[in-house]
Amino acid sequence: MLLDGKVAIVTGAGSGIGRASALRFAAEGARVVAADVRGPKADETVAMIEQHGGVAVPCAADVADAADTERMIATAVDAFGGLDALFNNAGTIRPGTAVKLPPEDWDLVMAVNVRSVFLGAKYAVPVMADRGGGAIVSTASVSGLAGDPASVVYSASKAAVINLT
């Protein structure tokens, strides 16, 4: 198996791309921390991984929160002895032009889509370095390359993700 013996965290693992990725990481032999702000959804993903013979633990975490992100990384270390891969997949979108978008929507999208990538790297890189290295992958979007005026904050956040990663 491609990832036998490796430890991976997938954020936004409660549904969609995150869930599919967590399942694939496990199918390739990785031990997985399925992280999601919706704890019961993370539990569902772990149950699916275990049904297929994989090894995983759930982690209810708001990846825009420093303490939650640090705890998420610690979950990998406590459960599996380290961390080899972090997939920053959690994300959100709030449509709106620069004129119509409420400032609180800007703050939310930038926190979930960008701050989370920064925090993930901040806490994951030292742990990965202790194991000799690792990999961080972050979900971006073509919207980060060519802005969408109807979804200005999403486009700005994905441009930031591309550059930060």
Side-chain angles (χ1 to χ4, degrees):
M1 289 191 231
L2 184 63
L3 300 173
D4 195 34
K6 301 295 183 183
V7 177
I9 294 173
V10 178
T11 70
S15 63
I17 293 169
R19 177 172 281 170
S21 299
L23 290 165
R24 184 57 189 243
F25 271 100
E28 291 292 346
R31 292 166 290 166
V32 176
V33 175
D36 201 285
V37 70
R38 303 160 302 168
K41 290 293 193 180
D43 294 338
E44 288 175 12
T45 299
V46 168
M48 294 169 100
I49 289 169
E50 291 173 341
Q51 286 172 349
H52 290 96
V55 177
V57 296
C59 182
D62 175 354
V63 292
D65 179 79
D68 270 13
T69 303
E70 190 171 21
R71 182 179 49 77
M72 177 183 72
I73 302 301
T75 297
V77 174
D78 294 345
F80 303 123
L83 180 62
D84 301 292
L86 170 62
F87 180 18
N88 291 309
N89 175 70
T92 192
I93 186 169
R94 295 294 184 274
T97 65
V99 173
K100 301 237 178 186
L101 186 76
E104 56 273 12
D105 284 358
W106 175 275
D107 293 343
L108 173 70
V109 173
M110 293 303 278
V112 174
N113 294 4
V114 182
R115 179 179 165 87
S116 66
V117 173
F118 160 71
L119 291 172
K122 177 175 181 55
Y123 297 115
V125 167
V127 173
M128 289 177 176
D130 287 346
R131 288 170 72 96
I136 298 176
V137 176
S138 304
T139 298
S141 168
V142 68
S143 294
L145 300 174
D148 177 358
S151 190
V152 65
V153 67
Y154 182 77
S155 296
S157 74
K158 292 305 181 174
V161 167
I162 291 166
N163 282 281
L164 181 56
T165 300

